[in-house]
């Protein structure tokens, strides 16, 4: 049994968890990958990147039938209660396809709700969310603030038994389909995390305005939101007043581990395609597989994929043990996204002109990884945070 850098045991996946992972492998290969040509064609024609309702409905039904809903949802909410390590193994497999599909519910917001939702909020939001009957999003970033919480200016002011919210959020994902958003706003005078409170704001609340849709590379779309005298009852406070930063950080740590696992899956797909192309294509009478440059790309990709997977397992074991994994999550987020970018780029280069087309999934994965170097904190901010913590000892 391997150990983390802090001596915590990294157990291998239990047999039952390997069985779930293998079930997901078959789901990806039999149900998701066959949809890639249609997804890529629509995206290449300027249509919305995503599944049609006719494509998504049977996938959701099959996932539910196979028991793939609520994989890390606690048993008390009807879930499988998989450990973080098993969930990350599943995320890696899901990263191998560009068909956009997740097993409900979205894990990071789930963990935030589990950590701080009160009994009433659990019944009203967490229960249906855990069952896949509700969707959510989270609004953190603001224009001009980016990854620095000190720049957060959205403010909530108490009036009677309500809070009135004014401000602006940007780069928020999944807004049109969200039944509620988790909104971070200032309720105190702290410089950074102090005084930040999380609120649950339901879709359709007066003063909650979707200002604009922002197309992103990689087929993604985010949204800018405006809050104009948006009034929510005090029971909509998620967690403790002025203490919303810590549960938000928990959510971000889960997301960053997910990104590490997904990048591992994308890099695996790219390496598989690279190897297949190298074996089947010759240039100047020599198979690409015999070219030293290609061989080194393959060796380095395999080594870095292995390294990233070990980083994911290390962080997952520490998280399961209750350790603070902010540093490991930052390291993983930086390393995994840059690793996947390199492997994808080399795979595209191996395919030559074909690698530049929108007929292959490589270009879409490369664009999505490029976005991930910004999402959930830019690489530069994570490097700064890693160094700061190490210098503090």
């Amino acid at each position: 049994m391997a150990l983390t850098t802090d001596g915590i045991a990294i157990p291998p996946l239990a047999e039952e968890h390997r069985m779930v992972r293998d079930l997901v492998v078959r789901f990806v290969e039999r149900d998701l990958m066959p949809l890639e040509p249609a997804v890529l064609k629509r995206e290449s024609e300027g249509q919305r990147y995503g599944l049609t309702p006719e494509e998504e409905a049977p996938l959701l039904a099959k996932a539910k039938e196979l028991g793939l809903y609520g994989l890390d949802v606690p048993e008390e909410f009807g879930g499988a209660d998989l450990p973080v390590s098993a969930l990350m193994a599943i995320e890696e497999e899901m990263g191998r396809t560009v068909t956009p599909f997740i097993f409900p519910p979205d894990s990071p917001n789930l963990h935030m709700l589990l950590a701080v939702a009160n009994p009433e909020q659990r019944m009203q939001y967490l229960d249906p969310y855990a069952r896949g009957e509700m969707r959510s999003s989270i609004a953190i970033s603001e224009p001009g603030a980016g990854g620095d919480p000190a720049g957060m200016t959205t403010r909530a002011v108490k009036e009677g038994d309500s809070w009135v919210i004014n401000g602006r959020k940007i780069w928020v994902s999944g807004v049109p389909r969200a039944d509620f958003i988790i909104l971070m706003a200032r309720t105190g005078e702290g410089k950074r995390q102090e005084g930040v409170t999380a609120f649950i704001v339901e879709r359709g609340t007066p003063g909650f305005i979707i200002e604009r849709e922002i197309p992103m590379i990689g087929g993604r779309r985010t949204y800018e939101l405006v809050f104009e005298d948006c009034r929510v009852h005090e029971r909509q406070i998620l967690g403790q007043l002025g203490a919303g930063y810590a549960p938000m950080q928990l959510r971000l740590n889960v997301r960053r581990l997910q990104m590490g696992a997904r990048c591992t899956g994308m890099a695996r797909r790219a390496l598989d395609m690279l190897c297949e192309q190298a074996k089947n294509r010759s240039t100047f009478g020599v198979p690409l597989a015999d070219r030293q440059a290609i061989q080194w790309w393959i060796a380095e990709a395999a080594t870095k994929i292995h390294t990233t997977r070990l980083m994911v397992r290390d962080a997952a074991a520490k998280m399961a043990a209750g350790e603070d994994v902010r540093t490991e999550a930052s390291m993983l987020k930086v390393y995994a996204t840059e690793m996947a970018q390199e492997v994808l780029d080399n795979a595209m280069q191996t395919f030559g002109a074909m690698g530049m087309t929108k007929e292959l999934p490589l270009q879409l994965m490369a664009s999505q990884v490029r976005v991930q170097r910004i999402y959930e904190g830019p690489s530069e901010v994570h490097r700064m945070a890693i160094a700061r913590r190490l210098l503090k000892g």
Side-chain angles (χ1 to χ4, degrees):
M1 183 178 290
L3 299 177
T4 71
T5 52
D6 292 340
I8 297 171
I10 305 177
L13 283 182
E15 178 62 26
E16 61 189 280
H17 299 151
R18 288 200 298 272
M19 291 174 64
V20 177
R21 180 200 60 196
D22 293 345
L23 186 63
V24 172
V25 170
R26 292 192 293 273
F27 184 84
V28 168
E29 294 177 352
R30 296 176 185 177
D31 297 282
L32 298 185
M33 285 186 179
L35 293 173
E36 285 187 347
V39 170
L40 289 169
K41 185 174 187 297
R42 287 195 295 267
E43 194 276 333
S44 71
E45 293 173 347
Q47 299 180 50
R48 187 174 293 270
Y49 168 62
L51 295 170
T52 66
E54 294 75 22
E55 292 168 338
E56 186 178 44
L59 292 176
L60 289 169
K62 186 164 187 180
K64 193 167 189 177
E65 176 188 342
L66 293 173
L68 296 176
Y69 266 44
L71 291 174
D72 59 338
V73 172
E75 291 181 0
E76 63 180 292
F77 296 101
D81 201 19
L82 292 186
V84 180
S85 58
L87 184 68
M88 293 306 135
I90 289 167
E91 291 288 344
E92 179 179 327
E93 299 303 330
M94 295 294 286
R96 294 190 299 124
T97 179
V98 294
T99 300
F101 182 81
I102 63 169
F103 300 121
D106 184 44
S107 189
N109 287 354
L110 168 74
H111 284 269
M112 187 172 181
L113 289 166
L114 284 171
V116 294
N118 61 36
E120 181 181 350
Q121 291 167 346
R122 287 189 167 218
M123 182 166 45
Q124 186 172 355
Y125 301 106
L126 180 54
D127 281 0
Y129 186 64
R131 293 193 299 269
E133 297 168 2
M134 295 184 79
R135 298 174 186 259
S136 74
S137 62
I138 188 165
I140 303 172
S141 297
E142 298 184 4
D148 182 6
M152 187 180 295
T153 59
T154 297
R155 179 164 292 278
V157 178
K158 197 168 191 311
E159 291 186 4
D161 59 0
S162 298
W163 288 82
V164 179
I165 304 169
N166 283 281
R168 187 178 293 264
K169 295 290 182 179
I170 200 168
W171 318 126
V172 187
S173 301
V175 174
R177 302 180 72 181
D179 297 286
F180 63 91
I181 68 165
I182 299 172
L183 170 69
M184 310 305 296
R186 288 204 172 277
T187 53
E189 301 300 327
K191 296 291 184 182
R192 291 185 64 80
Q193 56 261 53
E194 300 90 349
V196 173
T197 300
F199 293 88
I200 296 176
V201 183
E202 295 183 1
R203 181 174 58 194
T205 301
F208 170 21
I209 302 164
I210 301 176
E211 180 77 355
R212 64 181 174 126
E213 180 181 78
I214 309 171
M216 312 288 284
I217 64 172
R220 306 294 185 183
R221 293 173 187 272
T222 62
Y223 297 83
E224 184 172 5
L225 309 178
V226 173
F227 297 87
E228 293 183 353
D229 294 330
C230 180
R231 185 179 296 270
V232 296
H233 196 274
E234 59 185 358
R235 60 174 170 267
Q236 299 301 102
I237 292 176
L238 181 61
Q240 299 298 314
L241 182 65
Y245 192 84
M248 179 186 74
Q249 188 66 52
L250 168 65
R251 178 208 173 273
L252 290 173
N253 285 338
V254 174
R255 177 65 84 199
R256 288 161 186 162
L257 265 65
Q258 270 189 330
M259 292 171 71
R262 289 261 176 168
C263 283
T264 306
M266 282 191 275
R268 276 178 54 200
R269 176 78 179 280
L271 179 57
D272 288 345
M273 293 178 67
L274 190 163
C275 288
E276 190 66 23
Q277 174 73 352
K279 288 185 289 186
N280 293 332
R281 178 72 187 273
S282 295
T283 58
F284 302 99
V286 178
L288 287 179
D290 290 344
R291 302 285 188 187
Q292 186 184 63
I294 302 295
Q295 292 173 350
W296 282 28
W297 285 350
I298 292 169
E300 290 174 3
T303 301
K304 291 180 179 181
I305 288 169
H306 180 60
T307 301
T308 310
R309 185 181 294 115
L310 292 177
M311 292 177 71
V312 172
R313 292 181 61 198
D314 174 85
K318 289 177 179 176
M319 179 176 283
E323 296 271 327
D324 180 354
V325 298
R326 286 177 298 167
T327 297
E328 287 82 354
S330 288
M331 290 176 175
L332 177 59
K333 200 268 186 183
V334 172
Y335 187 85
T337 54
E338 295 182 359
M339 176 277 297
Q341 190 93 48
E342 176 184 303
V343 176
L344 284 158
D345 190 71
N346 287 340
M348 293 170 72
Q349 193 76 4
T350 303
F351 274 88
M354 189 64 188
M356 302 299 104
T357 70
K358 290 198 168 188
E359 294 180 10
L360 297 183
L362 295 173
Q363 51 80 27
L364 192 54
M365 286 182 171
S367 294
Q368 290 171 353
V369 169
R370 185 63 187 87
V371 173
Q372 288 186 42
R373 288 169 54 196
I374 298 292
Y375 275 6
E376 313 298 352
S379 299
E380 294 75 18
V381 172
H382 282 288
R383 284 187 165 95
M384 181 176 66
I386 293 165
R388 184 187 295 127
R389 294 188 193 110
L390 291 175
L391 288 168
K392 286 182 178 178

